[in-house]
Amino acid sequence: MRTGVIVAAHPGVEHLAVRAEELGLHSFWVYDTPMVHGDPFVALSLCAKATRRIRLGIGVTSPALRSAPAAASGLASLNALAPGRIICGVGTGNTARRTLGMRPATAARLENFTTALQDLCAGRSTEYREGDRVRDIRFLHTGAHVNTADPIEFVVAALRGPKAAAVAGRRGTGLISFGLLDPTAWHALHDARRHAAQATPHGPGSHTDSRADSYVITSLHLLDEDEDPHGDPARDATGHLVMSLLAFAADTPAFAEQLGPEEGEAVRRLLDRRGTTSTAPDRHTKLYPNYLGRIAPQDRDLILPSLMNTLALVGTRDDLLTRITALEQAGIDELLIQPVIDPPTEMAQLAKLLT
């Protein structure tokens, strides 16, 4: 299985991209969460200039964040800096929108956005709509301005529902998911993608030059001998993923109701600790600061073993290889980790583990 890294976007992140390339990792990604992290196009521009081989990804942008012309211009400009090395993840903007206190985009809007990006980034014209006005648009200048000759890889963000996977199938793209380590769930996503592709006129992938790989974002903690798998080091290494789920649950009562009693209690403690409620209009300003950053020591009690085991890879070398092999057999092509404690060391661990 290939390996990669995903981190928060910020100036200076190019040094991590260089180290990832030196370690032989396949890809280096940054998040697109405007009110929490830095700008991904700025960060990846720096990475593009500092590296030569490693693929560079945005995980993920959304029609609820950026217009298709603006996003396509950013992507094609990156492609001019790093020809053929750019990966664009697209999604409904679930978290990035919730950090604004807004709702994600619909699957239909996601599909239209993906279509427009694929067309524009390949040098084709596309239909662009604002309200009742519809126009065909295309890049009017290429050459030194943008690169539409080298292909950009597109992947659609999906969790468990089939709608996003079906968009990937119809558009001939790959898939990316956050914290989804259940092989059965991945089989279902791949089935939904395949069925949608087969039902698409002219056959799967006919509208795009993209690849169709699958990526999973998680965190990894290799246990030392006799180390507690749920001790403080393991909680610190995986807590950002668990806190992201708890924040989503605190922000989404319908999802929180599906959790077990222990997880539901953790959500209630989080809300109390942040001084907000699941219906407060400004709850996004209390729940999402430091989103996907290293957790505070006082929040370690919220990092439940059940959620650590669901969202992250914690174990001995043999334990980790067993779980990774199961994911590979479920069709995962690349494992992306988000390091938060000591990124260079954690990246080296990943590279060594799968060498």
Side-chain angles (χ1 to χ4, degrees), residues 1-6 25-27 29 180-181 214-220 311-313 320 323-325 327-328 332-338 350 353-354:
M1 182 184 289
R2 301 193 312 254
T3 54
V5 175
I6 185 165
L25 302 186
H26 181 260
S27 65
W29 300 60
L180 187 63
L181 300 180
S214 292
Y215 300 80
V216 63
I217 299 171
T218 185
S219 60
L220 182 147
L311 300 172
L313 296 170
L320 296 178
R323 293 189 71 183
I324 291 170
T325 298
L327 289 169
E328 190 169 24
I332 304 301
D333 298 286
E334 187 158 342
L335 180 71
L336 303 176
I337 67 160
Q338 188 202 342
L350 175 66
L353 178 67
L354 293 182

Side-chain angles (χ1 to χ4, degrees), residues 304-327:
L304 304 180
S306 60
L307 296 178
M308 292 171 63
N309 295 337
T310 297
L311 300 172
L313 296 170
V314 178
T316 65
R317 178 182 175 84
D318 288 344
D319 293 335
L320 296 178
L321 290 176
T322 297
R323 293 189 71 183
I324 291 170
T325 298
L327 289 169

Side-chain angles (χ1 to χ4, degrees), residues 95 98 241-252 255 267 270-271 283 287-288 291:
T95 302
R98 292 182 187 280
L241 295 188
V242 174
M243 289 295 285
S244 71
L245 183 143
L246 293 178
F248 174 71
D251 193 23
T252 316
F255 177 77
V267 172
L270 175 63
L271 285 166
R283 62 188 181 276
L287 292 172
Y288 292 106
Y291 180 74

Side-chain angles (χ1 to χ4, degrees), residues 243-312:
M243 289 295 285
S244 71
L245 183 143
L246 293 178
F248 174 71
D251 193 23
T252 316
F255 177 77
E257 291 173 0
Q258 301 173 28
L259 299 176
E262 187 180 20
E263 292 80 6
E265 176 57 30
V267 172
R268 287 187 286 273
R269 292 205 307 275
L270 175 63
L271 285 166
D272 289 344
R273 206 165 288 181
R274 300 296 186 262
T276 190
T277 69
S278 62
T279 57
D282 66 344
R283 62 188 181 276
H284 60 287
T285 65
K286 308 290 181 61
L287 292 172
Y288 292 106
N290 193 41
Y291 180 74
L292 291 177
R294 184 171 181 172
I295 65 167
Q298 60 267 28
D299 286 331
R300 283 178 179 145
D301 63 302
L302 299 176
I303 312 306
L304 304 180
S306 60
L307 296 178
M308 292 171 63
N309 295 337
T310 297
L311 300 172

